Amino acid sequence: MDLIHKIKNTIIRENLIEKHDKILIGLSGGADSVFLLNILIQLQRDLDFEIYTCHINHSYRDTALRDENFSRKISEENNIQFFSKKVDMKQYSIDNSISLEDSGRILRYKYFNEILKSEDFNKIAVAHHLDDQVETFFLHLFRGSGIDGLCGIKYQNKNIIRPLLDVSKVEILNYLDENDIDYVTDETNFVADVQRNKIRLEMLPYIQDNFNSSISESIYRTVNILKDSKEIIDDVTNFKYKKLVNQENGEYFIDVNLFAREKKSVKRNIIRKLLIELNGSNQDIRMVYIDDIIELFDLKNGSQYVFKDYSFFKSYDKVVIRKNLNNKKNQSVKFELGEISFGDFKINSYLTENTNVKPSRNKMIFDSKILSNNLFLRKRKNGDRIKLKGFTKKVKSVFIDNKIAQIKRDNYPILSDEENVYAILSLKRSNLYMKNDNSKEVLVIEVTYEK
């Protein structure tokens, strides 16, 4: 089977390219991306798709302008629309405290997606190949990654496609040499100054010389076996996830007792899937985070674990997960008639002479004389107490009695003045300023949950 046919089979098998696709090729000018451009040009008519190219000048090497000009030249020679942008990869890495490699990747894909949006293209083609897959396998292995990481680079990840993952670097270079196709060389690829280069230049040659001359092919087979196994694991995880993880009003709930019955491997995969959903990707999700969250299920009521912008709370027979509130938002606002937004609540208050209005948890009724006080809405404070019929009670105890998760308590609006708590809106009102037979006008406070 020739190389073009091999790549075409990969494209069809993985459904990477469909009729009328508009594909933006990431073109560095190096051997891999030039090879990808050449192959897709040859397959273009057969598979019926459009090609465009894009080059990012990272402003990092002395040869950066040479690479940009070369990429422009070969695009124009093939009548392909060319896009380019100059970015400061080094400064971006400093500003964001990330590696140069991460900086370059973020900036590249940011610009690629900007072009897709502005030009109405739908896919990005990049030139990762089999050797990149092997290097990624070892990088993830050394970091202690789970099966997701060891499965390596995906053929397709959302709008990014990788048609060359079944092709080795040797095959690429041989093809370019045999067909007398020019490309530029990134000299930094031959300096063992980053982990990936050390694996490529030092570790893999050592393994090939001393242990397995076909290590790349062996890892390639292992990755494919792992991918098959992952499909089964994903099916089980998805089934269990739907059974155990409930979502309502932007919050997630997991039943503690049902979760406890599962095997540890199932627990880990459920929590991992949840973290990916919260995080938007599997980046920065480590096994230690997953195990810490699993441990939370066995801790006392009120225990908490924070993952990025989310908090996990043990609340009686459930673990509740919700996005952290902005503590600076709506700490205290003056109470006025009309509509007020406070956290996740919308509060509508008005006066009426109809003193027969029926109260409910979400509709509280007060004698209008309460408005003579300097009222405001705020979050709870330590030591808050509310006056009930014949006694006072800690606001904290009201939340506990109503089984309100600790993570939710700061979200409830407290109606108060400098001395008294008049209500925990949507939960409990005090015994002060109750409507009575002498009331000529009443204050109605209606509360709705906005999320």
Side-chain angles (χ1 to χ4, degrees), residues 371-431:
L371 293 174
S372 63
N373 299 299
N374 181 29
L375 299 177
F376 49 89
L377 296 169
R378 61 170 172 83
K379 295 181 180 180
R380 65 182 178 129
K381 296 178 182 177
N382 289 334
D384 270 346
R385 301 185 73 90
I386 186 168
K387 291 183 181 180
L388 303 176
K389 191 172 182 179
F391 65 100
T392 64
K393 191 169 189 174
K394 290 181 180 179
V395 167
K396 177 181 178 181
S397 298
V398 176
F399 283 125
I400 292 172
D401 291 347
N402 285 273
K403 294 188 176 183
I404 304 299
Q406 193 168 4
I407 192 172
K408 289 184 175 182
R409 294 174 191 174
D410 282 340
N411 197 35
Y412 275 80
I414 304 289
L415 178 67
S416 71
D417 58 17
E418 291 81 358
E419 295 182 8
N420 298 302
V421 170
Y422 295 108
I424 309 166
L425 294 187
S426 193
L427 188 63
K428 191 81 173 177
R429 62 149 294 155
S430 76
N431 202 42

Side-chain angles (χ1 to χ4, degrees), residues 169-183:
K169 182 74 170 188
V170 170
E171 289 178 297
I172 290 173
L173 293 176
N174 287 342
Y175 178 91
L176 295 173
D177 290 344
E178 289 169 5
N179 290 278
D180 198 25
I181 298 172
D182 291 332
Y183 57 89

Side-chain angles (χ1 to χ4, degrees), residues 124-141:
I124 301 163
V126 290
H128 292 114
H129 48 73
L130 190 151
D131 294 54
D132 293 318
Q133 184 75 286
V134 173
E135 293 162 15
T136 300
F137 174 88
F138 281 110
L139 280 171
H140 289 169
L141 180 68

Side-chain angles (χ1 to χ4, degrees), residues 268-295:
R268 280 177 164 172
N269 279 287
I270 288 171
I271 298 302
R272 178 178 175 79
K273 179 177 172 63
L274 175 58
L275 293 184
I276 290 172
E277 185 166 327
L278 298 177
N279 194 42
S281 74
N282 61 4
Q283 191 171 2
D284 298 328
I285 295 176
R286 301 178 183 176
M287 188 61 70
V288 65
Y289 302 156
I290 294 171
D291 285 343
D292 284 347
I293 292 169
I294 291 172
E295 185 179 337

Side-chain angles (χ1 to χ4, degrees), residues 20-58:
H20 304 315
D21 274 347
K22 295 181 178 181
I23 300 175
L24 182 69
I25 300 174
L27 184 62
S28 69
D32 304 337
S33 63
V34 169
F35 174 78
L36 175 63
L37 173 61
N38 186 274
I39 295 298
L40 291 186
I41 287 173
Q42 295 186 63
L43 293 174
Q44 184 177 11
R45 179 173 294 179
D46 188 19
L47 297 179
D48 192 13
F49 60 93
E50 297 176 21
I51 293 175
Y52 308 87
T53 58
C54 178
H55 177 89
I56 308 296
N57 182 335
H58 293 106

